[in-house]
Amino acid sequence: MKMTKAVRSILANYESDNPGTKANLARILMQGALGGTGKLVILPVDQGFEHGPARSFAPNPPAYDPHYHYQLAIDAGLSAYAAPLGMLEAGADTFAGQIPTILKVNSSNSWASGANQALTGGVDDALRLGCSAIGFTIYPGSDDCFEMMEEIKDMSAEAKSVGIATVIWSYPRGANMPKSGELALDVGAYAAHMAALLGAHIIKVKLPGDHVEQKDAQKPYEGIDGSSQAKRVAHVVEAAFNGRRIVVFSGGAKKGADSVYQDARDIRDGGGNGSIIGRNTFQRPRAEAMDMLARIIRIYKGRE
Amino acid sequence: MKMTKAVRSILANYESDNPGTKANLARILMQGALGGTGKLVILPVDQGFEHGPARSFAPNPPAYDPHYHYQLAIDAGLSAYAAPLGMLEAGADTFAGQIPTILKVNSSNSWASGANQALTGGVDDALRLGCSAIGFTIYPGSDDCFEMMEEIKDMSAEAKSVGIATVIWSYPRGANMPKSGELALDVGAYAAHMAALLGAHIIKVKLPGDHVEQKDAQKPYEGIDGSSQAKRVAHVVEAAFNGRRIVVFSGGAKKGADSVYQDARDIRDGGGNGSIIGRNTFQRPRAEAMDMLARIIRIYKGRE
Amino acid sequence: MKMTKAVRSILANYESDNPGTKANLARILMQGALGGTGKLVILPVDQGFEHGPARSFAPNPPAYDPHYHYQLAIDAGLSAYAAPLGMLEAGADTFAGQIPTILKVNSSNSWASGANQALTGGVDDALRLGCSAIGFTIYPGSDDCFEMMEEIKDMSAEAKSVGIATVIWSYPRGANMPKSGELALDVGAYAAHMAALLGAHIIKVKLPGDHVEQKDAQKPYEGIDGSSQAKRVAHVVEAAFNGRRIVVFSGGAKKGADSVYQDARDIRDGGGNGSIIGRNTFQRPRAEAMDMLARIIRIYKGRE
Amino acid sequence: MKMTKAVRSILANYESDNPGTKANLARILMQGALGGTGKLVILPVDQGFEHGPARSFAPNPPAYDPHYHYQLAIDAGLSAYAAPLGMLEAGADTFAGQIPTILKVNSSNSWASGANQALTGGVDDALRLGCSAIGFTIYPGSDDCFEMMEEIKDMSAEAKSVGIATVIWSYPRGANMPKSGELALDVGAYAAHMAALLGAHIIKVKLPGDHVEQKDAQKPYEGIDGSSQAKRVAHVVEAAFNGRRIVVFSGGAKKGADSVYQDARDIRDGGGNGSIIGRNTFQRPRAEAMDMLARIIRIYKGRE
Amino acid sequence: MKMTKAVRSILANYESDNPGTKANLARILMQGALGGTGKLVILPVDQGFEHGPARSFAPNPPAYDPHYHYQLAIDAGLSAYAAPLGMLEAGADTFAGQIPTILKVNSSNSWASGANQALTGGVDDALRLGCSAIGFTIYPGSDDCFEMMEEIKDMSAEAKSVGIATVIWSYPRGANMPKSGELALDVGAYAAHMAALLGAHIIKVKLPGDHVEQKDAQKPYEGIDGSSQAKRVAHVVEAAFNGRRIVVFSGGAKKGADSVYQDARDIRDGGGNGSIIGRNTFQRPRAEAMDMLARIIRIYKGRE
């Protein structure tokens, strides 16, 4: 693994981390078809916890099998594969050392009463399963947001001490967050900023729209150009320590392929680090998903 | 670092503390342009957590970069730089040993439903990042005030045992505190007193007005002269163990420069130890902020 | 310190305690002008937490300084000095070994919504500050009373294991306690009894009136003579394990000197162990307070 | 990293190991020019501890610099780099993620009186430095051999629980081992077997001669063909669980290049997994070492 | 403390350390008259433990007082002061924050039977006393050398995790080290190398002579020029990771001032980082010691 200048420059931003954590970040950044470019595409498969198996996998039944996702991520040349405990356990031996994995350590489900998640994995699990990172969701706007922050504070400190990286999914949601705010530009930038302040190495947020939700934010946003998606991405990246933290954007629910490609182009043009794209790939037939991922990778390489 | 008489005299007040904690207090008091005077100016950058990145940094976009604040605090000759975990991590190696840092270990955000904060850092983080102190906010008047006090009780005891100082932000706020009380003289003095009772080494409060909020406090305040801001500062200092604890005053939202200077003069004349001034500096262009800080330092030195 | 028979006899009642805890009780009982008599007068200064600094100290401004109280207690020949964490820390070194101290480990404040207190100190703090005891308030009648009892259960067990004594302030108050009950005879005796049951070494209660509050208690109280304050004190002492636990009575808000002296005589004549007297002394000018304390001591010595 | 059949087949032998440990073994087996072949070449630089810096590095002075060895191992396409704590610390950040590292956790030196080694690193160090394995020497035949075995028992168990692999250097030596036995065939096979029994993932032994040392072993060895070095390698591999454990052979002191190549051919032909080759490379000028390593790699690839 | 390029460049070598440890190294490197130059002079006062008080302090009786040494180190503008537990405790409060201190955590004495030292301090002591580093002696050549190495392995790992630096005194001595070897060039370089391998941040060795002790080292040393003391210093620095670790040289027993100055010049010219000089200063009258230290500092600044 000859380190590229692009990756070196990203790693240098993680200046308080030990070499163990940097090695795991490097593994993700040097993996697959985008290895060395500073861009990354992550496959997350945690929708089964949140929406149930049939809503997640019935559109493409082979995806019920945990091995399917490992194999898809590897064959498509992705950067990492993220999933909850059992999903990783079911393939961790077969695919050991073939692709960096991210243990999603908290999860919600369809009957959760509030906007919160259960802790469903630990740093010790990540070590025994050979994961490069833990993944954790916070819900800014939830009544339980403080509790979630305190959980990741503890887990991230433990992870950093043993060389495991931290990925924070920062998803505005909950009793104090109007529906209209979840995809607002100001809220998305704020969500990314909070993840960075909490010490995340990699930040996952949704692609925001151009709406500004918070009353107090109207004025500062007068001078911020959110007219195109690429510009909105650039603003989120700025909010994540001016590019000193890796930011990836999620694809959301399954949608048309062209829309997926346009998102990737906008993330690239706005200076985002890449995509974390689940349902849009594993809910399609494998051949179609492979094509789509190949094209996304070409986009991140600047070839279309 | 030849210790001055002014600093020795302040350190002598922290009579139950171990030499490790005193050494960290000494580092803050001997740092920068005010080093040795017993006065201090601290740069706090935790507004991104509370108000979001754009409201905090859009007025001066270079401030999105965590290095910007370290450099500003060092170049302006300030006494210390305070920020949440991720913000410090992003510069802790580059600026190691160049300025004392304060790890803000709890933080609120714009969607918090009550007056409380999430724990977002720990004493172990402070040690690995080389911080001189932890910073913690309490909200007297909040339903969660007891919980916050119990959190800082534990963290402060741990910090004191390993030589880390404690700064308490004491901000009256919450369901049991009328809006009119937040800046009342009696409430401000009480807030400072509670921080002292909780064992804070450095107390951060807002500059209070001349209003007396509590009914039961009307009578005792008949004999207390709160007619000028300097006299109100003096009363708060008296309430903080009669000057035995360092008290710094926050600047609040961005405002006119003359008002900032007048505040500094009043703090100085009332016997306060200095300013903790964030938005009024980092939201201005750097050159302007440097000028403002230079002038504040001159004021604390008694030169204007 | 030659041990007197009176003190030996008191110490013998703490028969399950280790010698470390007994040594600390002995220090309190052998200290000052009442040393050896089995009587004691304690100076408590925790009103700043509960009522704020100005309401507490403005009547006698030198009392803003933590050293003032240590010095007053020592110069007046008192038995012990009780205060919250920061107040003790600010003088613990200067006055180390000069007077037994009691670390008040929980505290309320003027904006607390219910009848509860925050934990603001710990047994480890008591050890490092050289305290002889921890002090803890319970509110029988409060919704949070069980939580408070559970807190002191844990802290007292920890304290006993390291030779620190426990003082319980037992103050009926809260949603389940009618105002009329707070000073009722049956309630006061009950409060003292619960403190004894919780394992307190020293019990602090208010001087009760002759009213019987509880319906179910009317009958048993028919045969109890509560017609004089001394008799009521005797009943409370009886309720505290028939004199096997030290009981001290609090003075309440500042009042006329004669009333204070009469209280002391009644406590003495009823077999109480002494007074815990704060505002009635530190809110008076020092010379006046010294005179008052001298006279109280003479009363406890049976000289007036 | 597409896993090859050769590597899959090796990993399958480590059937009780968790995926974390297997991922680290996979990293070593998939690294560099031999990645995927099931063969490996490891660079060990611990001779400075055992023989001193000048005896180790004076023949090629750039090798005094710890970065030299990282770079050599990476540029030559080796499988892993093994060194003691300080040596790894001095380059772990610069080369994070570029090559698997093995933390040598015990070390001897030229003045050690018996055949033993000091523990000089731990599993926690391995985690923070991002190492894939710990390396540990045992001296079968030493008076301290049981102590050494008990040390690796503990460390290896800890390492396995957190996904770190174990490499055992098994070197017959000590008061109970005649000099003639150190390179004997029966002893070498026995040494490899004991390392396997102790739970090593990778076993490092010396290339044995054809001498049979133990009296009791003469008879069984009558039927074992040790007439060529390749056959002796095959016997050692057989002794290491019939090929179920990775066995690498050490190169010993610097010697002629042809002899080094012949060793590699014999290891390959005997079914050994590769070489661990230190002095023969880093004591040569870099260009010469690069050529030698390139040729060794070609040999293991079966190309010469 | 504006960081100089020289110090930045030294700190960059400690690439696996957390910012806390780097901040403490920075404090030493930025302290006193040599602050910022990359050179340092440390005052060690541990001879009382090893030789007794009179042999140490009778030549200059004010040196019996622990404050004497703190004050000397501060007034002379030294970089740090190193001493055992009690010696530091006796001045740690008075001089808190005035000079970096190094807690010597092991010590021998005149009646020790072998070449070993007792552990006499811990990392927790270093934290509560505000020390920047721990200091530890190893005796290469001693029967107990492994035990010593294992002690510092554990203490150094703990220290690194809480931001405390490690200084290793590496003094060849003991049953397996001939007297002639203690100051041999090969042995001194080897001693420095082992300290570096053990993870020391600062290495303290004696100035070696030109004798080569080890038989096996004769050949490699043929090509090493040890004809002048400066060249021997250069060789030791090379052995300490080619200059990637700070190396300071000890002054040994009291000797003539000219000899002390020549040593400093040789250390400087050979690229050493400075002197650790005890008896040669504190056994002289203070004025004389101050003059000597001033001159040594001028030498390190290249002014004589």
Side-chain angles (χ1 to χ4, degrees), chain B residues 1-3 8 11 14 17-24 26-27 30-32 71 74-75 92-99 124 126-132 160-163, chain E residues 1-3 8 11 14 17-24 26-27 30-32 71 74-75 89 92-99 124 126-132 161-163:
Chain B
M1 245 195 333
K2 291 272 166 83
M3 196 60 56
R8 267 182 214 281
L11 291 178
Y14 295 89
D17 280 295
N18 64 28
T21 305
K22 285 197 183 179
N24 271 318
R27 281 184 190 117
M30 295 304 293
Q31 174 80 14
Q71 201 65 60
I74 292 165
D75 291 348
D93 181 78
T94 300
F95 300 97
Q98 297 191 42
I99 187 164
D124 50 349
L127 285 173
R128 76 177 163 88
L129 296 174
C131 302
S132 290
K160 284 171 186 174
S161 74
V162 296
Chain E
M1 250 201 323
K2 292 271 166 83
M3 196 62 53
R8 266 182 215 282
L11 291 177
Y14 295 91
D17 281 294
N18 65 26
T21 304
K22 286 197 183 179
N24 271 318
R27 282 184 189 116
M30 294 305 292
Q31 174 79 15
Q71 201 64 62
I74 292 164
D75 292 349
E89 286 183 332
D93 181 78
T94 300
F95 300 98
Q98 297 191 43
I99 187 164
D124 51 348
L127 285 172
R128 77 177 162 86
L129 296 173
C131 302
S132 290
S161 74
V162 295

Side-chain angles (χ1 to χ4, degrees), chain B residues 38-57:
Chain B
K39 301 295 177 188
L40 40 103
V41 177
I42 296 170
L43 175 68
V45 187
D46 53 349
Q47 294 79 1
F49 229 132
E50 202 138 333
H51 305 139
R55 282 177 65 197
S56 302
F57 307 128

Side-chain angles (χ1 to χ4, degrees), chain C residues 91-144:
Chain C
D93 181 76
T94 301
F95 300 99
Q98 298 190 43
I99 187 164
T101 52
I102 298 166
L103 177 62
K104 188 69 192 346
V105 292
N106 66 348
S107 299
S108 190
N109 66 65
S110 297
W111 297 281
S113 53
N116 197 346
Q117 299 207 338
L119 294 180
T120 57
V123 175
D124 51 348
D125 293 313
L127 284 171
R128 76 177 163 88
L129 296 173
C131 301
S132 291
I134 54 169
F136 190 94
T137 297
I138 58 169
Y139 289 140
S142 159
D143 283 336
D144 296 322

Side-chain angles (χ1 to χ4, degrees), chain A residues 1 20 22 27 93 97 128, chain D residues 1 20 22 27 93 97 128:
Chain A
M1 246 195 332
K22 286 197 183 178
R27 282 184 189 116
D93 180 79
R128 75 176 164 86
Chain D
M1 248 196 332
K22 285 199 184 177
R27 282 185 188 114
D93 182 78
R128 74 176 164 88

Side-chain angles (χ1 to χ4, degrees), chain A residues 77-284:
Chain A
L78 304 194
S79 312
Y81 167 51
L85 186 72
M87 203 78 169
L88 287 189
E89 286 182 332
D93 180 79
T94 300
F95 301 96
Q98 297 191 44
I99 187 165
T101 53
I102 298 167
L103 177 63
K104 189 71 191 351
V105 291
N106 67 348
S107 300
S108 190
N109 63 64
S110 295
W111 298 280
S113 53
N116 198 345
Q117 299 207 339
L119 293 181
T120 56
V123 174
D124 49 350
D125 294 313
L127 286 172
R128 75 176 164 86
L129 296 173
C131 302
S132 290
I134 54 168
F136 189 94
T137 298
I138 57 169
Y139 289 141
S142 160
D143 283 338
D144 296 322
C145 187
F146 286 176
E147 180 192 319
M148 299 179 96
M149 287 177 169
E150 292 173 6
E151 286 165 351
I152 188 55
K153 168 186 92 70
D154 287 342
M155 293 185 78
S156 178
E158 183 188 353
K160 285 171 186 175
S161 74
V162 296
I164 299 277
T166 297
V167 185
I168 293 184
W169 273 235
S170 191
Y171 282 4
R173 181 177 305 177
N176 311 310
M177 175 65 63
K179 203 71 194 167
S180 60
E182 294 185 1
L183 291 177
L185 177 57
D186 57 326
V187 174
Y190 198 159
H193 189 63
M194 280 196 283
L197 289 171
L198 289 167
H201 298 98
I202 300 179
I203 296 162
K204 181 195 173 192
V205 287
K206 294 189 178 174
L207 282 164
D210 62 2
H211 169 62
V212 174
E213 172 71 21
Q214 298 165 284
K215 209 176 142 188
D216 293 338
Q218 302 296 342
K219 209 176 141 58
Y221 272 88
E222 280 167 14
I224 294 170
D225 185 356
S227 60
S228 74
Q229 185 161 264
K231 283 175 179 167
R232 295 192 292 271
V233 164
H235 175 59
V236 171
V237 168
E238 191 177 40
F241 292 172
N242 207 29
R244 288 184 184 274
R245 291 294 174 264
I246 296 168
V247 184
V248 294
F249 294 84
S250 58
K254 190 177 162 189
K255 55 188 175 183
D258 286 345
S259 167
V260 171
Y261 302 141
Q262 189 54 46
D263 282 355
R265 266 182 226 108
D266 292 338
I267 294 165
R268 177 196 66 194
D269 294 344
N273 295 84
S275 301
I276 181 157
I277 182 167
R279 282 171 287 172
N280 270 296
T281 54
F282 69 71
Q283 291 187 344
R284 283 181 162 84

Side-chain angles (χ1 to χ4, degrees), chain D residues 110-121:
Chain D
S110 297
W111 298 282
S113 53
N116 198 347
Q117 299 208 339
L119 295 179
T120 56

Side-chain angles (χ1 to χ4, degrees), chain C residues 42 44 47 169-171 183 203-208 229 247-253 255 263 267 274-280 300:
Chain C
I42 296 170
Q47 295 78 3
W169 274 234
S170 189
Y171 283 6
L183 291 177
I203 295 161
K204 182 195 172 191
V205 288
K206 295 190 178 174
L207 283 164
Q229 186 161 262
V247 184
V248 295
F249 294 85
S250 60
K255 55 187 175 183
D263 282 355
I267 294 165
S275 301
I276 181 156
I277 181 167
R279 281 171 288 171
N280 270 297
Y300 279 115

